[in-house]
Amino acid sequence: MRQATPLTYFALLLTLVLSVFPLWWMFVIATRTTTAASQFPPALLPGPNFGANIVRLFENPSANFTTGLLNSLIASTTVAVSVVFFCSLAGFALAKLNFKGRTVATVAVVVTMAVPVQIGLVPLLILMEWFGWRGELQSVIVPFMVSGFGVFMMRQYVTQTIPDELIEAARIDGCSTFRIYWSIVLPALRPAMVVLGLLTFMQTWNEFIWALAVLSPSNPTVQFSIQQLNESAYARDFALMFTGATFATLPLLIIFVVLGRQLVGRIMEGAIKA
Amino acid sequence: MWSRLDVRASPYAFIAPFFLLFGVFGLFPLLYTVWVSLHDWSLIGGNEGWAGLDNYARLVTDPVFWNALYNTLGIFVLAVVPQLLLALLLADTLNRRIRFANLFRMTLILPYITSIAALAIVFSTLFGGEQFGLINQLLAAMGLEPIAWHGDRYAAWTAIAVMIDWRWTGYNALIYLAAMQSIPKDVYEAADLDGASRMRQFWQITIPLLRPTIVFTVIISTIGQMQLFTEPAIFDNSAGYGGGTQGQFQTVMMLVFEEVFTYQNYGYAAAVSWVLFLLVVLLGLLNTWLTSRIRGAE
């Protein structure tokens, strides 16, 4: 393998600074007053106003930030749990159970991963109107309770980790199929479930387009809520907007710290398979 | 008796939730788009009757649609070309013996996991107007003229492309890095013996061997970028989905939103969506076809 030169480190450090700067600057402005956003050279250290900005954020009448935060927590958690459960169930069936149509079903799952679902936005909106779900929290939960990516990932993991003999033995002992899933498959799947769950949480937390389309400003998700701050005033209140943006990013940063290494591994693994 | 039923029925019961939910909320809307697009359909009135191909006829002659398509494709090219080149260079940089390798790899995906909406707000502030934006102030400090990032079409495209690249370059670099690490070392050793320069090795060995991976990233980027919405929508400081005063950065997805929410014209919005879907499929096929041709030519 080639050796690193000083130029290598320079390039990598530059990448690091460029990756971190927007995030760090967002936090710095969130701790200062709005004028700091147009200051040059830019403010680089946190100021004393974070507390005051947080209070203003939660009291802001157009953002409904508390509702947004709660909605995002509920939606992201529910979707993550549901995706993990249904996808591991289906992944187990596709990996280990014999049934007619198994190959077709597996191919179908892979195909669903390539479908750009967003393009069905208009009919999905009409569907929500029929159900009476428009503006309601379930509209950002129920359509996302399963994912083709999740099923495929779980199928791969079950194939790799659980030997057929284990399942045969459980059957001979008289376990029902669901019992096998619950007592043998689920415990073995735990590491993959954590990764899938956190990834799904992240995606749902981050979702913007659909929330904007189907929810209303009075009952938003957190991403929709900070967009309200962006649009509401003529004189834009950067400190307020950036405080909101910081809160909207915070859980993701926590997941990044917990999951960063595995995430790097997953992206690189996927690349080799592709 | 009971256990036989269990063995036969359980697999179907286990995969049913996935296919049921996907059918209702994924497949049905996609197909139903065609049906809606063939009708006059509004928010309040609902289905207001058969319109045949009227919505499509309107689309073909609608300058707003062509403008949005031009913007979407323009931003796509402006974002993806430098992004993938930079990602290749970054991957090549990381593909050597370095200290803190894990730290640098983690750095690459930091932008990828942050909130798109939050960062779009931060970036549209960085690219702020004449005197306020940090980037214009930096230009001024270097003795350059400020740029009308929101007002000028190509400046706005650039700003939006920077947001996209900030987010995705590192992600693609990791994919390339993985592919580079699977290239056998002796290929390079042989090239060293032949006296090929590093530059030459990069272009004549690394890039050709990475071609399937590069095509994969191009296809993934195409599917994502054709539906570009969040970055330009937030970059537009005014309410609504017009994409600037002259529609200079309105994307196709923003046009869909404008038709739905500003004009309540579901039928036309569905027609635009369906054309966008076909375009994504077409571009995907074109990519695959081009690759097989290039391969065949070798």
Side-chain angles (χ1 to χ4, degrees):
Chain A
M1 197 179 264
R2 279 184 286 159
Q3 291 299 321
T5 60
L7 193 67
T8 312
Y9 286 104
F10 176 75
L12 291 176
L13 271 176
L14 188 69
T15 310
L16 190 141
V17 169
L18 286 177
S19 301
V20 172
F21 176 76
L23 283 164
W24 177 247
W25 192 63
M26 170 177 82
F27 171 65
V28 168
I29 301 303
T31 63
R32 289 168 171 260
T33 58
T34 282
T35 47
S38 45
Q39 195 177 307
F40 192 83
L44 291 177
L45 291 174
N49 283 23
F50 198 37
N53 287 336
I54 292 175
V55 172
R56 288 198 306 132
L57 175 67
F58 281 91
E59 284 176 351
N60 186 285
S62 59
N64 293 305
F65 197 72
T66 318
T67 314
L69 215 52
L70 271 175
N71 276 345
S72 280
L73 270 177
I74 296 169
S76 307
T77 311
T78 316
V79 171
V81 170
S82 150
V83 162
V84 167
F85 176 69
F86 286 129
C87 292
S88 58
L89 205 59
F92 162 55
L94 293 177
K96 293 289 169 188
L97 301 180
N98 286 314
F99 61 98
K100 226 185 206 159
R102 184 164 94 158
T103 318
V104 177
T106 312
V107 172
V109 167
V110 175
V111 171
T112 66
M113 286 163 65
V115 175
V117 178
Q118 226 186 77
I119 285 168
L121 181 118
V122 179
L124 199 54
L125 214 52
I126 296 173
L127 202 64
M128 293 296 127
E129 272 156 23
W130 290 346
F131 290 176
W133 286 3
R134 214 167 154 182
E136 305 292 331
L137 189 58
Q138 63 263 38
S139 65
V140 295
I141 297 176
V142 182
F144 305 99
M145 284 173 69
V146 293
S147 100
F149 165 76
V151 174
F152 190 69
M153 173 179 163
M154 286 306 180
R155 192 197 87 106
Q156 300 302 84
Y157 201 83
V158 172
T159 311
Q160 285 162 16
T161 50
I162 300 171
D164 289 336
E165 296 78 38
L166 197 62
I167 289 166
E168 287 311 311
R171 273 228 197 280
I172 291 164
D173 287 347
C175 277
S176 70
T177 314
F178 189 79
R179 183 72 202 277
I180 295 175
Y181 163 77
W182 193 257
S183 319
I184 296 173
V185 178
L186 271 196
L189 277 182
R190 200 168 289 148
M193 285 165 66
V194 171
V195 174
L196 180 63
L198 287 176
L199 273 178
T200 310
F201 184 95
M202 210 169 89
Q203 251 162 26
T204 316
W205 183 271
N206 225 336
E207 210 292 319
F208 176 71
I209 306 180
W210 177 241
L212 185 67
V214 75
L215 293 179
S216 67
S218 60
N219 189 29
T221 60
V222 70
Q223 311 295 336
F224 187 4
S225 165
I226 61 171
Q227 160 70 354
Q228 290 303 112
L229 294 173
N230 191 29
E231 276 186 352
S232 60
Y234 280 100
R236 304 169 85 216
D237 189 339
F238 294 116
L240 189 66
M241 282 156 51
F242 282 36
T243 310
T246 304
F247 269 88
T249 314
L250 208 61
L252 302 173
L253 291 181
I254 295 170
I255 291 178
F256 172 74
V257 171
V258 177
L259 197 69
R261 266 176 167 231
Q262 272 133 308
L263 209 55
V264 168
R266 276 222 71 80
I267 294 168
M268 293 182 67
E269 223 175 275
I272 290 175
K273 281 189 197 119
Chain B
M1 172 63 206
W2 169 243
S3 79
R4 176 167 288 183
L5 184 72
D6 172 52
V7 170
R8 303 200 81 183
S10 286
Y12 297 106
F14 287 9
I15 61 169
F18 171 78
F19 284 101
L20 220 66
L21 283 163
F22 181 80
V24 174
F25 298 107
L27 189 63
F28 167 75
L30 199 65
L31 299 177
Y32 199 58
T33 305
V34 182
W35 181 251
V36 175
S37 76
L38 297 173
H39 291 79
D40 286 321
W41 201 303
S42 72
L43 171 68
I44 304 142
N47 187 347
E48 291 170 338
W50 182 256
L53 293 175
D54 285 3
N55 284 318
Y56 292 94
R58 179 186 155 192
L59 180 144
V60 175
T61 54
D62 185 359
V64 178
F65 169 74
W66 291 107
N67 173 64
L69 188 61
Y70 176 55
N71 289 334
T72 307
L73 291 172
I75 297 172
F76 167 68
V77 173
L78 203 58
V80 167
V81 174
Q83 177 189 127
L84 298 187
L85 283 176
L86 262 176
L88 278 168
L89 287 176
L90 252 179
D92 188 55
T93 310
L94 272 166
N95 191 23
R96 34 190 107 191
R97 198 163 301 160
I98 44 175
R99 284 162 187 273
F100 311 114
N102 265 320
L103 171 80
F104 287 122
R105 283 178 192 181
M106 299 255 297
T107 311
L108 292 183
I109 58 153
L110 180 63
Y112 162 71
I113 62 117
T114 55
S115 148
I116 307 181
L119 265 296
I121 289 175
V122 172
F123 272 93
S124 48
T125 311
L126 284 171
F127 285 104
E130 301 277 311
Q131 61 274 54
F132 294 118
L134 207 56
I135 294 186
N136 269 348
Q137 292 187 350
L138 192 69
L139 290 179
M142 296 192 299
L144 297 167
E145 290 290 309
I147 292 171
W149 292 111
H150 288 78
D152 178 72
R153 181 190 295 266
Y154 302 104
W157 285 12
T158 310
I160 293 163
V162 167
M163 286 189 228
I164 298 167
D165 288 354
W166 182 76
R167 183 173 201 80
W168 291 104
T169 305
Y171 178 86
N172 285 309
L174 272 187
I175 293 180
Y176 292 149
L177 176 62
M180 282 177 189
Q181 288 178 344
S182 64
I183 298 175
K185 300 282 172 291
D186 45 356
V187 180
Y188 291 106
E189 282 159 14
D192 271 337
L193 286 179
D194 289 344
S197 69
R198 291 277 177 233
M199 201 59 155
R200 196 132 177 240
Q201 289 180 21
F202 180 71
W203 289 109
Q204 308 237 315
I205 299 174
T206 312
I207 299 287
L209 284 174
L210 244 55
R211 196 177 290 137
T213 315
I214 295 173
V215 172
F216 167 74
T217 54
V218 170
I219 291 177
I220 295 291
S221 305
T222 311
I223 296 176
Q225 294 313 310
M226 284 298 112
Q227 305 170 67
L228 179 66
F229 177 82
T230 306
E231 288 91 342
I234 290 181
F235 189 67
D236 192 356
N237 297 330
S238 61
Y241 309 102
T245 44
Q246 316 282 312
Q248 62 269 32
F249 54 91
Q250 184 182 48
T251 60
V252 178
M253 224 31 219
M254 287 171 80
L255 174 61
V256 171
F257 263 69
E258 193 177 38
E259 286 298 329
V260 169
F261 295 101
T262 315
Y263 305 119
Q264 270 103 41
N265 193 345
Y266 285 21
Y268 188 56
V272 175
S273 309
W274 186 246
V275 169
L276 184 62
F277 174 72
L278 292 182
L279 204 71
V280 171
V281 174
L282 205 74
L283 284 173
L285 291 177
L286 188 73
N287 265 322
T288 323
W289 179 74
L290 273 178
T291 336
S292 63
R293 261 194 79 105
I294 294 167
R295 267 198 201 137
E298 270 165 5

